[in-house]
Amino acid sequence: MKKKLLSMLLVGVTAMAMLAGCGGNSEGQKKEETKTEGTDKKEEKKEPDVVKVAYMPNYASLWVVKTAQEKGYFEEQGIEVKMTKFDDGPTEIAAMESGSMDVAYIGPGAHTLAIQGNVDVFCFQQLGDADCVMGLKSHGVNSLKDLKGKKVAYASGTSSETILLRALDSVGLTMEDIEAYNMEVTNMPSAMISGSIDACAPWSPNTKVITDELGDDAEVFVSNADFSDIAADPASWVCMPEYAEKNKDLLVRFTKALYKAMDFGAKEENFKEVAGYVSDETKTDVETAMGQTTDGAWLTSEELLKGVEDGSVKGYYEIQQKNFLDNGKITEEVPVDDYVLFDIMKEAGK
């Protein structure tokens, strides 16, 4: 009987030990599973989409994209932007064609390349007023008519050439009537200051560099606003058509971030903060950036989307194209919808 009881006791102890062992393994397994799940969640965290952005070193080009970057709006959309400086739109587009850039901000003049099918516009940003035609009084240039026979610098294929053609036409002159000299806009200040040219068609901030150095000797005759009755000068965000086709969702998210930045940057009370972002990127002082806050008509996303819906934004591109046709920069009319992706703009506004 005693042997039987002892045997039963041993069986019970063994069973309890086995249960305890199982319980311990279960708890350990749960801890291990929890740890593994946590690791998996970390591993599942999606890396941001990198977008290589081409820009020009001025307020008009940077006020939206730098605000979106600095305020974290791109980050909210799962995007990391890598910014690269260029001097003009055609050079930016060449960089996208080579694959070194993904998207770019272009001024009015480079839209000839969009019309010709080189790039697609995926977001309208503003109507520009950063371009002008100016001359040196000491060189006998006191009006647009005085440009006849003078050495005038312009940047071919950009808004610099566009405004020079309009200015000449307004006084009955053509490029044949002047000594037209093609140069990069960034070289115009030194050329004007040295006196190697008589006049030029720069854009901001180069205009201010010239006037700050030469004072009253440098006179601005016309800017974009002087031709607002006959011309529209859209500035836009563009990409290669192949990139747009493969990355529609990414472009929508990129545009959403731009919209949020527009809503902040279009408010006058925020100009100084935005100018700070611009000056940091361009390595200039805030005062210089603030001097460029009148270089465009800054829109909120609501104003932009309203213009997309009522057709006024499309109208800007139609007027722009007509002007290119009239001055021979393009040879045939193209439907605006062929190169402006209004569906991206609309979807980003939802």
Side-chain angles (χ1 to χ4, degrees):
M1 183 70 178
K2 286 180 180 180
K3 288 182 180 180
K4 187 176 181 181
L5 286 172
L6 182 59
S7 178
M8 291 176 64
L9 183 60
L10 287 170
V11 171
V13 170
T14 301
M16 289 178 66
M18 289 176 66
L19 287 170
C22 290
N25 288 339
S26 177
E27 184 177 349
Q29 187 178 351
K30 285 180 181 176
K31 287 181 179 178
E32 188 62 32
E33 286 175 356
T34 303
K35 184 178 178 182
T36 303
E37 286 174 8
T39 304
D40 288 344
K41 285 179 180 177
K42 287 181 181 178
E43 289 175 354
E44 286 173 7
K45 187 177 180 182
K46 191 176 183 298
E47 290 297 316
D49 292 307
V50 176
V51 179
K52 293 171 288 185
V53 178
Y55 74 92
M56 286 175 274
N58 56 52
Y59 191 94
S61 176
L62 287 166
W63 76 280
V64 175
V65 69
K66 277 305 293 183
T67 298
Q69 183 185 41
E70 296 293 333
K71 303 290 280 186
Y73 301 153
F74 285 127
E75 187 178 357
E76 291 172 4
Q77 295 297 328
I79 295 172
E80 177 187 352
V81 295
K82 293 187 176 180
M83 310 271 288
T84 302
K85 182 184 78 171
F86 289 83
D87 289 329
D88 56 66
T91 309
E92 291 176 325
I93 292 171
M96 287 191 293
E97 289 173 339
S98 73
S100 62
M101 290 289 113
D102 297 322
V103 303
Y105 165 94
I106 62 170
H111 282 70
T112 54
L113 297 173
I115 296 167
Q116 292 164 7
N118 295 57
V119 291
D120 283 340
V121 171
F122 68 87
C123 185
F124 171 91
Q125 183 163 291
Q126 76 253 344
L127 291 177
D129 191 29
D131 312 299
C132 75
V133 175
M134 63 193 310
L136 296 175
K137 294 179 182 177
S138 58
H139 287 221
V141 184
N142 295 289
S143 69
L144 288 176
K145 288 183 178 181
D146 293 332
L147 293 176
K148 187 172 182 178
K150 299 295 185 181
K151 190 174 184 179
V152 184
Y154 74 104
S156 177
T158 72
S159 54
S160 166
E161 182 177 16
T162 301
I163 195 165
L164 178 57
L165 288 168
R166 288 177 188 159
L168 293 171
D169 183 66
S170 70
V171 292
L173 299 176
T174 70
M175 294 288 269
E176 300 299 318
D177 295 312
I178 64 172
E179 186 183 345
Y181 189 82
N182 187 15
M183 69 161 57
E184 291 185 3
V185 170
T186 50
N187 292 332
M188 291 180 190
S190 59
M192 287 284 278
I193 292 166
S194 70
S196 60
I197 56 176
D198 305 310
C200 64
W203 57 64
S204 190
N206 302 286
T207 310
K208 190 174 187 299
V209 174
I210 295 168
T211 54
D212 284 351
E213 183 67 27
L214 297 176
D216 292 339
D217 188 30
E219 183 173 351
V220 174
F221 302 121
V222 288
S223 69
N224 304 82
D226 292 295
F227 302 105
S228 59
D229 58 331
I230 60 167
D233 293 308
S236 311
W237 284 94
V238 299
C239 66
M240 299 297 293
E242 298 82 3
Y243 187 88
E245 188 176 343
K246 295 176 182 177
N247 297 280
K248 181 178 179 181
D249 174 69
L250 179 55
L251 289 176
V252 169
R253 288 186 283 126
F254 188 93
T255 304
K256 280 180 180 289
L258 294 182
Y259 282 176
K260 197 166 183 180
M262 287 179 187
D263 293 340
F264 181 86
K267 296 176 182 176
E268 190 172 351
E269 62 264 31
N270 296 327
F271 282 3
K272 191 168 185 179
E273 183 176 340
V274 175
Y277 300 149
V278 172
S279 65
D280 286 344
E281 185 67 35
T282 58
K283 305 297 186 292
T284 56
D285 56 79
V286 175
E287 183 183 350
T288 297
M290 281 294 290
Q292 301 168 45
T293 56
T294 58
D295 287 349
W298 319 129
L299 302 178
T300 64
S301 63
E302 182 180 357
E303 291 168 332
L304 169 54
L305 289 166
K306 182 181 178 183
V308 170
E309 289 297 330
D310 66 21
S312 57
V313 170
K314 184 176 181 178
Y316 298 148
Y317 290 109
E318 289 173 339
I319 294 170
Q320 180 187 54
Q321 188 175 157
K322 182 180 182 301
N323 285 316
F324 286 145
L325 281 166
D326 290 345
N327 62 36
K329 298 305 294 180
I330 59 173
T331 57
E332 59 181 340
E333 186 176 352
V334 175
V336 168
D337 293 286
D338 283 4
Y339 63 93
V340 180
L341 307 179
F342 291 111
D343 58 327
I344 297 287
M345 297 185 223
K346 290 176 182 178
E347 191 167 337
K350 293 178 181 177

